[in-house]
Amino acid sequence: MSVRRADTLGGRAAVVGIGATEFSKDSGRSELTLAAEAVRAALDDAGLAPSDVDGLVTFTMDTSPEIAVAQATGIGELSFFSRVHYGGGAACATVQQAALAVATGIAEVVVCYRAFNERSGRRFGSGVQHREPSAEGTALGWNLPPGLLTPASWVAMAARRYLHTYGLTPEAFGHVAVTGRRYAATNPAAYFHGRPITLADHAASRPIVEPLRLLDCCQETDGGQALVVTTAERARDLRRPPALITAAAQGAGRAQEQMTSYYRDEFYPSDLAGLPEMGVVARQLWRTSGYGPADIDVAVLYDHFTPFVLMQLEEFGFCAPGEAAAFVADGALPLNTHGGQLGEAYLHGMNGIAEAVRQVRGSAVNQVPDVAHALVTAGTGVPTSGLILGRDGG
Amino acid sequence: MSGGDGARGAAVSGDDALYARLKAFEGRPAATGGRGKDPVNAAMIRHWCEAMGDTHPAYRGPDAVAPPTMLQAWTMGGLSGHTDRSPAYDELSALLDGAGCTAVVATDCEQEYLRPLRPGDEITFDAVIESVSPRKTTKLGSGYFVTTRMDVRVDGELAGAHRFRILKYVPGKGSSGPGGPAPEADPAPRKGTPEPVAAPRDAPARPRPVINRDNAGFWAGVAEHRLLIQRCTGCGRLRMPWLPGCARCGAPEWDTVEAGGGGTVHSYVVMHHPPFPAFDPPYAVALIALEEGVRLVAGVTGVPPDAVRVGMPVRLEFQQVRDGKGAWELPVFRAEPGAARAPREEG
């Protein structure tokens, strides 16, 4: 699907393997080692061998090149390798890239991966104080001299405007945090396994960048996650039930910035209170799949910061603008059932795709009954991506 | 080698905490165990005299003496540099650099001559940090005078003393480097200019404007206390941030209009964590909607951070910020009088 018309990719590829390392605060090994472990685990899950793989996709931010991962895992010659930019916005787009490759015969089996020591190594939360004067560095550079230096601060500027626009208080963000931690509490793989929180805990947590509090911010994680993609035909012969890639989309809005899209009121009436780039993704996913919000059985929405989960629900049309906090509190839509990045792990959205696959397979620890369609999204506030994964024959 | 007086007319600004630390260096060695790289010799004497136009017969012939003013020349390191400078002197320099006194100028020297130097004399020397002045404000900028005294000896006997004074100072206007003008002592501050932020003794590095060819004009304007908005000459649309083309019509041509200075807080945050050495949390950063209809991210002054509100009227000012490496201007927005009395609207 393009921005203007439906595409022909939907249903032609599937996620057939998922694999991850443990999620920790100090992995004790290299990022390449984590990537290789995740790739091996995903191939084992799929019942495929490294020799079956001819494509690799990752993030531009990843430090482990495709060729290094191939060497470290015994993968042979590659006919397809690709990287997607814009931080966590790349997550679902790596699967889209893989689907494009296998659907067109460019490759047969493509592994998407992301691995980092984001907690024990370079922490994104520690902020930015310097940028090179490239176009990209200069764009972010407008924010640095007055001291707007962290991802939390870039999101908080939009979050404040969201509260102002709809007459809400910061407690509105608490429902997302409580939901994520409730699911994490029953997920043994989650860092916050066994540690649910209440709305009062959220309200009492210390300010990070007002209006955001500690419990509005996702954790930081060391770990790796990989996903194996092949054609729908081949998927049906493999070990696991396939998670068909029913629809896949990328989206960038007009006057798009990375985390600081503060200058586009001319193009979008929602202004800072919306995520127009996710609206671009949503329009494409609905059009190609033919589905709408009522068809989604479980949603895994990127949750590095709680306010953007609310805006995503509104962009996808699950509820009206300004009503997402009440929508989440109501609990009608199973949301971030692995615990999200708030509760399970911050793997730049890739662990969320794995959860959507498990929900479609019926193997999730917090399994939603009879999942036919799962929605999963990538990083918010940046150019982003999304997927609808479906049960074969569903 | 004139006995100039660089400190003349300088104003004493009084002791400060940094000065106490600088003062502790007095009496510590600036150089120890120095040896002249060459013995006193006829060739260097001749070169000196020719360069100076000095034809005095005492400096020629079999009984020649060296011109007394050559005293320092016999101690110089040449292109290969000094190996005898003391750690104390390096520490003192680093302390001053860290306080923003990155510029240096030699102001004057004084010499005493106790015995003539003759060809063949092997000289040795030691130097001491004799004094550090209180902070002074000069036409060049504000800083500290550092005086060293070097004793020059032949066979252990004192032959002369060389007292040398420098000014280490915060570079001021008129000596701008690549970082742009640094108006330390602007003789005629613009109306409405806030006081510079606290002096940068040991000031940690602040994030600098990220400047390239596409936005240099904006920052050049800021340095002149003008906030320049790009205007597309194709469709007339105003735009911020600066870009080499129009997001509405795509035209590459543009000019600028100067912001009138009025605006409102469109959104804002209050920064608490993590701490950054150059900032003092909690502090507010706002997205300002200028009256011209464009926006920029800037600090808010004139009210405590918890009194900033969406919709608060603000007015443009320029604030000088500094760190240990320099000073530059930033646009900031001051809450209009009475604006802070708006009721708390959320949270």
Side-chain angles (χ1 to χ4, degrees):
Chain A
M1 78 230 93
S2 74
V3 171
R4 293 180 182 80
R5 59 183 178 274
D7 68 53
T8 58
L9 182 63
R12 296 174 64 186
V15 182
V16 297
I18 56 176
T21 66
E22 82 287 3
F23 304 133
S24 77
K25 301 301 177 192
D26 186 0
S27 74
R29 50 207 195 275
S30 76
E31 293 182 334
L32 176 57
T33 298
L34 295 173
E37 287 181 25
V39 168
R40 285 189 205 103
L43 288 170
D44 286 347
D45 181 61
L48 291 168
S51 56
D52 293 314
V53 177
D54 51 5
L56 287 168
V57 186
T58 189
F59 295 43
T60 52
M61 279 186 82
D62 203 276
T63 63
S64 298
E66 304 91 312
I67 52 175
V69 171
Q71 288 189 60
T73 55
I75 290 172
E77 294 176 338
L78 298 174
S79 60
F80 181 71
F81 33 94
S82 178
R83 290 187 177 218
V84 187
H85 198 39
Y86 307 117
C92 295
T94 65
V95 175
Q96 185 194 39
Q97 291 275 301
L100 287 164
V102 301
T104 53
I106 298 291
E108 176 71 21
V109 174
V110 179
V111 182
C112 308
Y113 65 91
R114 177 76 174 113
F116 52 25
N117 286 320
E118 199 278 329
R119 179 59 178 78
S120 67
R122 190 188 146 226
R123 300 178 65 174
F124 302 160
S126 62
V128 174
Q129 296 194 71
H130 172 74
R131 274 287 185 264
E132 294 302 318
S134 61
E136 193 163 82
T138 304
L140 186 66
W142 294 100
N143 305 288
L144 307 183
L148 198 71
L149 303 172
T150 61
S153 73
W154 305 326
V155 172
M157 192 70 83
R160 171 76 67 192
R161 192 67 200 180
Y162 180 88
L163 297 177
H164 176 83
T165 300
Y166 299 116
L168 301 170
T169 67
E171 286 67 42
F173 304 140
H175 301 289
V176 174
V178 168
T179 299
R181 292 289 293 271
R182 185 177 73 241
Y183 284 120
T186 52
N187 172 9
Y191 182 76
F192 285 116
H193 179 233
R195 284 185 280 173
I197 59 167
T198 64
L199 284 173
D201 293 331
H202 170 266
S205 65
R206 65 190 171 100
I208 300 300
V209 182
E210 290 179 76
L212 299 185
R213 298 167 170 140
L214 177 65
L215 294 177
D216 290 308
C217 307
C218 74
Q219 55 188 310
E220 296 184 286
T221 300
D222 286 9
Q225 174 78 58
L227 311 159
V228 183
V229 174
T230 189
T231 60
E233 293 72 28
R234 186 162 182 186
R236 292 180 182 115
D237 297 331
L238 293 175
R239 176 187 292 171
R240 306 286 186 189
L244 288 179
I245 300 164
T246 304
Q250 284 187 290
R254 295 198 69 176
Q256 180 77 49
E257 303 281 340
Q258 296 187 54
M259 301 298 287
T260 56
S261 293
Y262 301 155
Y263 315 99
R264 51 183 178 180
D265 48 313
E266 174 185 347
F267 301 111
Y268 299 106
S270 60
D271 193 17
L272 270 65
L275 293 169
E277 58 280 353
M278 196 59 87
V280 176
V281 171
R283 291 200 307 273
Q284 298 175 82
L285 294 182
W286 294 147
R287 187 165 47 205
T288 289
S289 67
Y291 302 145
D295 299 304
I296 297 301
D297 303 304
V298 57
V300 181
L301 303 184
Y302 198 94
D303 60 338
H304 54 358
F305 298 99
T306 56
F308 280 171
V309 175
L310 303 183
M311 294 187 208
Q312 288 182 83
L313 288 163
E314 295 165 13
E315 292 287 350
F316 275 96
F318 287 100
C319 58
E323 296 181 358
F327 178 84
V328 175
D330 181 52
L333 175 70
L335 177 66
N336 295 349
T337 45
H338 56 324
Q341 302 189 102
L342 295 161
E344 185 185 66
Y346 175 69
L347 252 291
H348 243 166
M350 294 295 267
N351 53 321
I353 302 173
E355 171 65 7
V357 170
R358 286 188 294 264
Q359 288 287 351
V360 168
R361 289 178 176 178
S363 65
V365 66
N366 295 313
Q367 182 64 46
V368 175
D370 196 30
V371 170
H373 311 122
L375 170 68
V376 55
T377 61
T380 38
V382 289
T384 188
S385 52
L387 300 169
I388 294 175
L389 300 182
R391 195 171 56 199
D392 198 17
Chain B
M1 293 289 178
S2 71
D5 182 4
R8 182 178 295 149
V12 177
S13 65
D15 289 358
D16 52 34
L18 175 61
Y19 179 54
R21 296 175 63 190
L22 298 172
K23 187 93 177 153
F25 284 87
E26 290 187 357
R28 295 183 65 184
T32 53
R35 304 190 69 85
K37 290 201 165 181
D38 296 289
V40 178
N41 64 82
M44 285 173 67
I45 292 170
R46 183 177 63 79
H47 294 156
W48 172 279
C49 290
E50 288 187 359
M52 293 293 178
D54 192 336
T55 57
H56 197 285
Y59 308 145
R60 289 175 290 169
D63 293 315
V65 297
T69 49
M70 278 188 80
L71 184 68
Q72 189 193 12
W74 307 116
T75 71
M76 285 180 164
L79 295 179
S80 54
H82 281 287
T83 56
D84 44 56
R85 200 158 78 173
S86 75
Y89 194 82
D90 288 338
E91 281 173 36
L92 175 61
S93 291
L95 190 56
L96 286 161
D97 286 344
C101 296
T102 54
V104 62
V105 60
T107 58
D108 61 299
C109 82
E110 303 164 13
Q111 296 185 336
E112 297 170 60
Y113 313 118
L114 302 180
R115 55 150 279 189
L117 294 174
R118 300 175 188 281
D121 285 342
E122 298 268 4
I123 68 108
T124 59
F125 57 92
D126 297 283
V128 65
I129 300 165
E130 190 172 68
S131 68
V132 183
S133 79
R135 192 175 184 100
K136 310 253 184 169
T137 301
T138 74
K139 284 182 180 174
L140 284 172
S142 173
Y144 300 84
F145 290 91
V146 177
T147 305
T148 53
R149 191 192 74 241
M150 180 190 293
D151 292 327
V152 179
R153 292 183 167 80
V154 175
D155 294 327
E157 179 193 353
L158 193 62
H162 171 76
R163 188 173 280 111
F164 192 69
R165 189 168 296 125
I166 62 168
L167 173 65
K168 285 276 284 176
Y169 64 101
V170 180
K173 236 174 195 164
S175 61
S176 60
E184 150 64 22
D186 189 339
R190 283 167 184 262
K191 189 165 177 283
T193 300
E195 289 299 306
V197 296
R201 332 230 158 98
D202 307 325
R206 270 190 74 111
R208 285 175 151 61
V210 182
I211 303 175
N212 68 8
R213 280 179 277 197
D214 289 332
N215 71 357
F218 175 85
W219 292 106
V222 167
E224 298 173 351
H225 289 191
R226 301 170 69 214
L227 199 155
L228 299 177
I229 302 165
Q230 270 188 324
R231 177 171 58 192
C232 174
T233 53
C235 71
R237 177 178 180 261
L238 298 180
R239 68 174 182 258
M240 285 288 292
W242 280 36
L243 286 170
C246 177
R248 184 163 71 194
C249 78
E253 294 82 16
W254 54 273
D255 60 10
T256 60
V257 294
E258 183 173 352
T264 57
V265 172
H266 187 72
S267 191
Y268 69 98
V269 307
V270 180
M271 300 286 289
H272 290 267
H273 183 82
F276 292 94
F279 293 92
D280 186 21
Y283 63 95
V285 184
L287 179 64
I288 304 296
L290 297 179
E291 59 196 4
E292 288 82 5
V294 295
R295 300 172 179 172
L296 83 162
V297 171
V300 177
T301 62
V303 289
D306 64 358
V308 177
R309 291 290 177 273
V310 173
M312 173 181 275
V314 291
R315 181 146 291 278
L316 172 67
E317 292 181 350
F318 291 90
Q319 183 179 59
Q320 185 187 106
V321 297
R322 302 179 186 164
D323 61 18
K325 291 181 176 172
W328 60 97
E329 300 288 309
L330 284 184
V332 297
F333 288 82
R334 180 173 292 274
E336 293 278 26
R341 289 192 217 106
R344 193 160 174 81
E345 62 188 325
E346 67 223 12

